[in-house]
Every structure is written in C-alpha cells, then in structure tokens.
Amino acid sequence: MSGPVFAGAAAGLVVGVLLTLGLVLAWRLARGSRELGSDSDRATFRTLHLASRAATHLRDGLAAADVGRAARPLRQLLRADALAVVTADGAVALDGSSTLEPDARRVAERVLATGRRHVESGDVEDAVGAPVVAGGRVAGVVVAFADTVRPPLVRATGEVAQWCAAQLELAELEASRTALAQAELRALRAQISPHFVYNALGAIASFISTDPERARDLVLDFADFTRYSFRGRGDFTTLADELRSIHSYVELERARFGERLAVTLQIAPESLTAVIPFLSVQPLVENAVRHGLEPREHGGTIVITARDEGTQTEITVEDDGVGMDPAVVRELLTSRDTTHVGLRNVDTRVRQLYGDDHALDIETAPGSGTLVRLRVPRSQPLHEAEVSVP
C-alpha cells in the first residue's frame, strides 16, 4: 500500500482522537471537576481542549470561511491580546481589536516575503508573525499581538504555526484519500461497462425471437443492475441491497451459461443490514464468474455466505473454478494489470476505509477454486448506507 494511503488513514485517526479528547475535556472543564488534578494537569487539558477546537475549524484549509473561528482558540492558546490568521492571498481572520488588521497584513507580508518569523514593534501593540508552511509552501501566517513581544511568545507562535501547518496537511491527505476512493469506484464502474454490458445485451438479443417473455425479464434485470451500479451518490450500501443487484447480475449471466452456472446463498438474517462499501461484493462475484467458472467447460457453483462474527460481518464468495497460483494473486493485488481490476479495487478500498487488517483474504490454488473473504465492522456510525428503491 502506498505512503499517501497510510498517511490518509493516519490523518483520519489523529483528527478523530483529537476531537474526542476535545469533547471529553470540554465536559470536564465545564464542570470544574477536581479530578483534573494539579495546575500542570489543568494547563495540559486546557491546551488540548483549545487545540481540538481550532483543529475543527482548520479542517477545510486557511481559505475556508470557517478559519475565522480558529483564531479565537489559537489566541487563547497563546494568551495573546489579539491574533490574526492571514492567508497567502491576503485574507485576514482576526480575533481581537479590528484596528490591528493593517498591522497584521504588514507583518504577514514581511513573513510571506522571507518565509521566516518576523517581530515588529507597533504604536499600540507589538506583533510576531510565523509562517504556516504546508506542502513545501507558505500557506499563510499566524500573527500574535501583545503589549511587549518576548521570546516565549515568539517561540510559541512558531510552534502554533507549525501545528496549523500539520492540520492543513492532514486535511489535504484526507481529501486525497477521499478522491482516491472515488477514483477506484469510478474504475470499477468503467470495468463493469465494456465486458458485461456487451455480453448481457447479446444474451438478451438471443431470446427476443425464441422466448420474448424471458427477454423481457432479462431487460428488467439489466435495468436494475445498471441503475444500481451507476447510481450517482452513496459510497456505502447494505448487504441486502447489494445482494439484490447480484441477483440481477447472476440472472443475466445465467442467460449465457445456462445450467453451467449455479449460485447458492447462505446468508444469516442479521447480516442483511450490515453496512458495506458500495460495489464491494458484486465485483467478487463477477471475478468468480469471469476468472473462475468461465474457463471451465462445465462451469461450476458460486457460494455466497455472510454471518456476524463478533464485531465484524464476514462475507465470503467461493467458487469451484480453475483457481489461481497464490503468488499470482499477491502480484495482481499490487500491479496495474487490468484483468483483475475489480478484485484489486475492492481490496484497495477496504484497506483505505478500515485499515490493512481488513484486506481481502484470498484462498486459492490451481484447480482448487477460489475463496475470497471480506470483513467489515458491524458498527460504522460515520458511514451511512444509501439504499436503492426496489
């Protein structure tokens, strides 16, 4: 798995933990609980609380409208009289006296020009500006104001600017992770289109004159399958919804295979409501048909199972087809070969969403069929399933 994907997963984890800490700390501070311990403990909790509040507003970058709300907790963090966040294009978010805005712009211009911290004495307030360097460029400047700028404030402003830069880079990594997942999903849809659509339409055409009623049913199956596969929104679905689409897919393939294709479902009722990534099981079934059973003269059987295992829902797709060399499987999951793009894309997506512990588990050998195991968390409060209307 590539570095950016690891970093994207880490980004989501860090932000999630930080926000959770912030909620807990806000509750405890509001109660004024004596459980916070010493003055040092309270100072630590206060710092984490303010940092978590600011992080929430930096999530969409310095150019976002929400960045102005980050200025107040950052000012409180530094114990400055006023604080400004100035973007590279000159936009100013200021917490404190509005008369300091020209001073903030002036200090920021100096920092943007040099890429280094700058301290300046003013008529009313002194100021220190520190660059927010993210992605190798100065994205903005943090400017803190005080009656007298002393070395501790200079150092602390620099640290806060570096922390802001880290939040921006985490946000960019999260955006990259989301874009990559969407690209993988588009690739899956593109992969379905040329191979399957051609075969499905050919099968439908073959029944038009000999069995018009069967042709009509297949047209409806084709419409249901394509409507589900190419729907415009929703990165998650339920297992029940995906199984309905798989039923349409199997009916279309049976029009080609006839009795050579058999599919058995062994689905525990409680697993039907499991939230799964959209188009995560159907590509496994298609892979079993195309690469497992189609090369066999007599076809074969696919068994789809699903059951809850503790905090996980385990879904397996097993065929008794030609099988593969395990070394070839390991290679195809990391290569850009186009023959197993569905299998690889599903593996990539579940790794991005749930971590490497949820990578596809593939058991296979030449002549012995293939079993693919997919495991997803039973509880996914942040992932809302988009359910298709039957």
Side-chain angles (χ1 to χ4, degrees):
M1 191 173 182
S2 65
V5 175
F6 274 125
L13 178 62
V14 169
V15 173
V17 170
L18 193 56
L19 292 178
T20 302
L21 272 173
L23 291 173
V24 173
L25 295 174
W27 175 75
R28 295 182 71 178
L29 287 169
R31 290 182 61 197
S33 172
R34 287 176 292 181
E35 295 176 5
L36 290 178
S38 66
D39 290 343
S40 177
D41 291 336
R42 283 191 288 273
T44 299
F45 282 121
R46 176 182 179 277
T47 299
L48 288 172
H49 172 58
L50 292 172
S52 69
R53 285 176 54 197
T56 301
H57 303 304
L58 292 172
R59 188 176 300 167
D60 295 326
L62 293 185
D66 213 22
V67 71
R69 298 180 182 178
R72 172 159 295 186
L74 292 178
R75 178 181 66 79
Q76 294 172 336
L77 193 62
L78 291 173
R79 298 184 184 274
D81 294 340
L83 183 134
V85 179
V86 185
T87 65
D89 59 4
V92 179
L94 177 67
D95 185 67
S97 174
S98 60
T99 60
L100 294 174
E101 184 171 329
D103 296 328
R105 290 184 187 276
R106 186 174 60 254
V107 172
E109 288 173 0
R110 183 65 179 271
V111 174
L112 290 169
T114 63
R116 297 189 297 179
R117 285 181 301 190
H118 175 66
V119 179
E120 185 173 292
S121 297
D123 295 334
V124 179
E125 295 268 319
D126 290 352
V128 53
V132 178
V133 182
R137 63 180 182 85
V138 179
V141 180
V142 175
V143 183
F145 293 90
D147 288 337
T148 302
V149 171
R150 302 185 185 280
L153 181 59
V154 175
R155 291 193 297 270
T157 303
E159 292 294 332
V160 165
Q162 290 181 22
W163 178 85
C164 289
Q167 301 310 305
L168 298 183
E169 290 180 340
L170 289 175
E172 289 176 2
L173 288 171
E174 178 66 16
S176 297
R177 184 192 69 82
T178 301
L180 180 59
Q182 292 172 346
E184 296 286 359
L185 189 55
R186 287 195 297 270
L188 272 176
R189 286 168 167 157
Q191 178 258 341
I192 290 170
S193 174
H195 178 88
F196 176 74
V197 170
Y198 176 82
N199 288 334
L201 292 178
I204 292 170
S206 69
F207 285 100
I208 289 177
S209 57
T210 60
D211 191 345
E213 190 66 25
R214 178 76 186 281
R216 175 184 175 278
D217 290 341
L218 290 174
V219 167
L220 294 176
D221 285 326
F222 182 75
D224 290 341
F225 175 80
T226 53
R227 181 170 59 245
Y228 177 82
S229 299
F230 297 101
R231 70 185 190 183
R233 58 194 179 97
D235 293 333
F236 295 87
T237 189
T238 63
L239 177 59
D241 219 19
E242 185 117 340
L243 287 174
R244 279 193 288 268
S245 175
I246 289 171
H247 171 78
S248 298
Y249 168 79
V250 169
E251 288 302 309
L252 290 163
E253 290 290 37
R254 276 187 177 143
R256 290 198 304 128
F257 282 83
E259 298 302 318
R260 295 174 55 223
L261 174 61
V263 177
T264 301
L265 298 181
Q266 299 175 357
I267 310 297
E270 64 272 11
S271 66
L272 288 171
T273 58
V275 174
I276 63 173
F278 175 61
L279 284 183
S280 58
V281 180
Q282 188 276 331
L284 305 184
V285 177
E286 183 173 0
N287 185 78
V289 172
R290 291 180 59 185
H291 302 293
L293 304 185
E294 193 167 352
R296 291 186 63 190
E297 180 181 354
H298 301 294
T301 300
I302 295 173
V303 179
I304 305 172
T305 68
R307 62 180 182 275
D308 288 352
E309 294 282 349
T311 60
Q312 310 281 328
T313 296
E314 181 178 288
I315 303 163
T316 65
V317 177
E318 182 176 11
D319 68 76
D320 57 2
V322 297
M324 291 181 287
D325 185 331
V328 173
V329 173
R330 289 191 294 270
E331 182 179 352
L332 70 85
L333 289 178
T334 57
S335 72
R336 303 314 299 173
D337 179 81
T338 59
T339 57
H340 291 82
V341 63
L343 197 66
R344 184 173 61 250
N345 282 0
V346 172
D347 182 66
T348 300
R349 289 167 61 214
V350 294
R351 285 173 183 265
Q352 292 169 354
L353 289 167
Y354 310 122
D356 285 348
D357 290 345
H358 291 267
L360 293 182
D361 182 13
I362 303 175
E363 301 175 12
T364 186
S368 300
T370 301
L371 182 146
V372 182
R373 182 177 290 104
L374 167 68
R375 292 174 298 108
V376 299
R378 183 62 186 170
S379 175
Q380 300 186 54
L382 299 180
H383 298 156
E384 184 176 350
E386 179 75 21
V387 180
S388 300
V389 178

